[in-house]
Amino acid sequence: MNSCTPTRRRLSAYLDGELDPTGRGEVEAHLLACERCRKLKGELSAADSWLLSAPVPEPTVADTAAFLNRLHKKLDVRCPQPVSLPAASPRSRFSIALPWAFAGFAAMALLVVVPGLHRSSSPEPRMELASARRAGPSGAGPSAAGDVTGAPAALEEASGTRKNEARVASVAVPSPAASARPASHDPLVATQAQLAKLEEQIRELERSVVTFTAQARLESQARTQEFASRRFVPWRDLEPSR
Amino acid sequence: MYEAAAAAELPDEQLADLVSQGDRAAFDSLVRRHHRRVFSICYRMTGSAQEAEDMAQETFFRLYRHRESYQTGRRFKAWLDRICVNVCLTNQQRVRRLGPVVRLGQTDASSAAGIATSNPESLDPEARAGVSELIRSVQKIVTTLPTPYRAALVLRVFGGLSYQEIADALECSIGTVMSRINRARIQVRNHLKDQQ
Ligand SMILES: [Zn+2]
């Protein structure tokens, strides 16, 4: 019995042609001598034949076309093709990364400038700002804040609202010393979330445009058909008879 | 740029290279070429035509999403089957957790009997019922095999992959593939013996 085990373990590999010449020779030698293993070999082959005898539903060409259509829709929504420069280096990730970097930078600048302009016009946010400043790290010196907010401050000076804005900016863009802040207050994270939301809205709009176009096409087709099926009285019949 | 007609002539591996660069026309050619095969593997793994259709969608979707991970020179079929089997195995886990979406039933097996024969009308009702019964019986035994055994057996018997390719797809050793396939076949053979 024991002598059968090595053969039985390798029977499938033998049937599948996956044994090296030595292994094949050993199995064949045993099969010649052992009727039980020969029988098992036959039964395993029969098992394969039985499995293969059951037909699988075979998609037709039309099925494949419909399948591909469905796949395209899925890809368009979840895997939109990146807008990239003419195929010089299609693998380059810059086509995606660069606009994102620019968008991030632009939004950072907006965050610094826009909330400042808004806040200076209403008293409540200023109180918020004061408490935020009190709660903030005391070690952040004015010079550090000045370095970070240098560029926005220059912009704001031109608009004549520098005093308030400089304070706002010092909160909006914390000094490098305060880098251990919670993620929820990170303007970059907030900006990215906003951008993601905007992107989702754009996608939503794109989808509704597609739906709208499809509906419009269907409606126009229906109208054309309806028009074609009508019986019109020819013009000449409408003319007053002479 | 190349013509879509020319794409149909290219070998899988060249098309896969183009797909990895984001070429959707090359991707379409690969889908057309392998839809049947992927569907058939999914069908054997899930036992349901409807589920197999969804798994096939997910397979090609993942292939496109991870297109850049295709290694030039690698056999495309093995890569595709690896994704396909992983999709089916993930689905299996989900089904085990949440229950099956579609159970193997009369509709699937009988519709399979209809689709699988080029002219279903040529079969008399009795023969048709026989085919349905056979399909149901095969699917029943295949889907009751332990998942790792089933994956290995399906890739070998229905996918025609080598043991090395199956080992790559299932991320295990060739020895493991050998023993899984052998055990799976012995279970099928035992099932047939019980039927007699
Ligand atoms: Zn023996």
Side-chain angles (χ1 to χ4, degrees), chain A residues 68-85:
Chain A
L68 198 53
N69 206 21
R70 203 177 135 205
L71 189 59
H72 281 168
K73 280 183 190 144
K74 199 170 173 180
L75 285 173
D76 287 342
V77 174
R78 285 169 61 187
C79 230
Q81 282 183 290
V83 183
S84 56
L85 300 170

Side-chain angles (χ1 to χ4, degrees), chain A residues 8 16 43 48 54 58 67, chain B residues 36 44 163 182 185 189:
Chain A
R8 295 193 161 216
D16 289 329
E43 286 166 355
D48 262 24
E58 292 221 342
F67 177 87
Chain B
R36 269 183 180 206
R44 295 303 191 185
Y163 282 20
N182 206 42
R185 274 206 185 107
R189 168 256 196 185

Side-chain angles (χ1 to χ4, degrees), chain A residues 1 3-5 7-8 30-31 33-38:
Chain A
M1 264 321 108
S3 66
C4 289
T5 312
T7 299
R8 295 193 161 216
H30 181 84
L31 286 177
C34 178
E35 203 202 323
R36 281 170 57 106
C37 285
R38 265 205 310 277

Side-chain angles (χ1 to χ4, degrees), chain B residues 11-107:
Chain B
D12 289 347
E13 286 70 21
Q14 268 185 49
L15 287 176
D17 271 336
L18 290 167
V19 172
S20 73
Q21 293 162 24
D23 191 321
R24 285 274 286 263
F27 174 70
D28 289 359
S29 297
L30 283 174
V31 174
R32 281 193 203 94
R33 209 177 276 179
H34 294 283
H35 174 217
R36 269 183 180 206
R37 172 194 162 70
V38 166
F39 176 84
S40 127
I41 290 176
C42 294
Y43 180 73
R44 295 303 191 185
M45 287 294 288
T46 61
S48 145
Q50 199 180 321
E51 241 182 300
E53 174 80 1
D54 291 343
M55 297 301 101
Q57 280 277 328
E58 186 60 24
T59 297
F60 285 111
F61 174 73
R62 278 199 208 173
L63 185 143
Y64 189 78
R65 206 173 52 181
H66 301 296
R67 60 191 179 275
E68 288 185 26
S69 70
Y70 175 73
Q71 294 151 9
T72 303
R74 188 175 174 192
R75 197 173 159 223
F76 173 75
K77 254 191 202 174
W79 185 53
L80 175 65
D81 288 357
R82 179 189 176 136
I83 298 173
C84 178
V85 162
N86 281 333
V87 165
C88 292
L89 294 181
T90 310
N91 178 59
Q92 203 64 34
Q93 286 164 1
R94 188 187 56 79
V95 168
R96 216 175 290 139
R97 222 172 43 240
L98 306 169
V101 179
V102 185
R103 281 178 194 282
L104 173 68
Q106 180 72 33
T107 20

Side-chain angles (χ1 to χ4, degrees), chain B residues 175-190:
Chain B
T176 305
V177 171
M178 198 192 275
S179 92
R180 282 181 186 172
I181 292 180
N182 206 42
R183 286 181 191 177
R185 274 206 185 107
I186 287 173
Q187 283 199 22
V188 175
R189 168 256 196 185
N190 292 346

Side-chain angles (χ1 to χ4, degrees), chain A residues 1 13 34 49 91 119 135 139 141 190:
Chain A
M1 264 321 108
C34 178
S49 309
R91 263 178 199 267
R119 283 176 193 191

Side-chain angles (χ1 to χ4, degrees), chain B residues 98-193:
Chain B
L98 306 169
V101 179
V102 185
R103 281 178 194 282
L104 173 68
Q106 180 72 33
T107 20
D108 252 356
S110 46
S111 71
I115 301 170
T117 49
S118 53
N119 183 8
E121 303 307 314
S122 68
L123 283 178
D124 60 71
E126 212 173 303
R128 226 189 131 105
V131 173
S132 286
E133 186 50 44
L134 174 67
I135 292 171
R136 206 171 304 133
S137 184
V138 166
Q139 287 308 103
K140 191 181 159 207
I141 178 68
V142 171
T143 47
T144 49
L145 290 173
T147 311
Y149 294 7
R150 183 182 350 144
L153 188 73
V154 164
L155 287 180
R156 174 65 216 174
V157 176
F158 304 109
L161 293 196
S162 71
Y163 282 20
Q164 180 62 62
E165 286 168 336
I166 298 170
D168 288 347
L170 302 178
E171 291 173 317
C172 62
S173 70
I174 290 194
T176 305
V177 171
M178 198 192 275
S179 92
R180 282 181 186 172
I181 292 180
N182 206 42
R183 286 181 191 177
R185 274 206 185 107
I186 287 173
Q187 283 199 22
V188 175
R189 168 256 196 185
N190 292 346
H191 169 84
L192 285 174
K193 277 204 138 182

